[in-house]
């Protein structure tokens, strides 16, 4: 797997570049799969330029968007000031277990999302375990990721292998998945 350094992400986001845009089909799926109740809280990990986090706030979630890139955090904050206080943004390296435990409330979120980010995390099992600790009873984890097997060889590093998907989806009470388009992107909705 090819490593992507923090400086690469910062440079990418500082130039105002995102990745795969959030399409209408994906937003419709999100709205159907995870309708919030009053006071529901969401955590968007790896928020990038904040489009998905803004959609969560638009659905009615009190949303915390986090990213390890300072440029992404600044861009999201600048783009969506009109959504405050429903959308808050902060810098956080979710792979740092101590930092995540210190800054995120245990059982504090009804929804945790990771859109196009889990494939880049070194320990996917640990990330999943951390998400379980953050979810309130009955909460859901939505993971959107390209599948490595459906990507050209030179781009497989941005997707998850079948083995990684099995590790991440193991042990959830309920789960469903949806293919978003012909590009090999799949959305998993996992419930604890």
């Amino acid at each position: 797997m090819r490593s992507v350094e923090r400086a690469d992400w910062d440079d990418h986001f500082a130039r105002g570049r995102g990745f795969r845009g959030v399409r209408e089909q994906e937003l419709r799926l999100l709205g159907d799969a995870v309708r919030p109740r009053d006071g529901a809280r969401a955590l968007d990990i790896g928020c990038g330029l904040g489009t998905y986090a803004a959609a969560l706030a638009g659905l009615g979630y009190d949303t915390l968007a986090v990213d390890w890139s300072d440029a992404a955090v600044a861009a999201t904050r600048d783009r969506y000031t009109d959504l405050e206080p429903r959308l808050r943004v902060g810098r956080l390296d979710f792979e740092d277990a101590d930092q995540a435990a210190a800054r995120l409330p245990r059982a504090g979120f009804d929804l945790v999302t990771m859109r196009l980010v889990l494939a880049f995390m070194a320990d996917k099992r640990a990330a999943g375990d951390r998400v379980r600790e953050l979810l309130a009873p009955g909460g859901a984890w939505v993971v959107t990721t390209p599948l490595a097997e459906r990507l050209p060889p030179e781009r497989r590093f941005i997707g998850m292998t079948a083995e990684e998907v099995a590790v991440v989806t193991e042990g959830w009470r309920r789960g469903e998945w949806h293919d978003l388009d012909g590009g090999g992107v799949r959305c998993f909705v996992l419930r604890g």
Side-chain angles (χ1 to χ4, degrees), residues 85-125:
R86 185 172 293 280
L87 175 61
R88 297 174 333 279
V89 186
R91 189 189 164 313
L92 176 83
D93 182 352
F94 190 73
E95 288 189 279
D96 182 329
D98 293 335
Q99 189 181 128
R103 300 215 10 238
L104 300 172
R106 190 176 182 89
F109 299 95
D110 302 287
L111 174 65
V112 174
T113 62
M114 288 185 183
R115 184 178 185 277
L116 309 179
V117 70
L118 188 57
F120 296 101
M121 292 188 176
D123 189 341
K124 290 157 187 62
R125 184 180 307 277

Side-chain angles (χ1 to χ4, degrees), residues 29-148:
L29 167 69
L30 181 65
D32 291 346
V34 293
R35 295 224 178 262
R37 58 170 172 58
D38 284 342
R41 295 183 62 199
L43 172 65
D44 184 30
I45 299 167
C47 67
L49 298 178
T51 306
Y52 209 63
L56 294 171
L59 286 173
Y61 282 97
D62 176 19
T63 305
L64 173 60
V66 298
D67 202 294
W68 75 326
S69 164
D70 292 320
V73 169
T76 299
R77 202 173 273 140
D78 289 348
R79 286 175 178 219
Y80 298 106
T81 56
D82 58 321
L83 292 178
E84 292 176 357
R86 185 172 293 280
L87 175 61
R88 297 174 333 279
V89 186
R91 189 189 164 313
L92 176 83
D93 182 352
F94 190 73
E95 288 189 279
D96 182 329
D98 293 335
Q99 189 181 128
R103 300 215 10 238
L104 300 172
R106 190 176 182 89
F109 299 95
D110 302 287
L111 174 65
V112 174
T113 62
M114 288 185 183
R115 184 178 185 277
L116 309 179
V117 70
L118 188 57
F120 296 101
M121 292 188 176
D123 189 341
K124 290 157 187 62
R125 184 180 307 277
D129 290 345
R130 210 165 291 126
V131 167
R132 287 177 206 271
E133 292 175 4
L134 295 173
L135 284 174
W141 183 23
V142 175
V143 177
T144 305
T145 186
L147 301 176

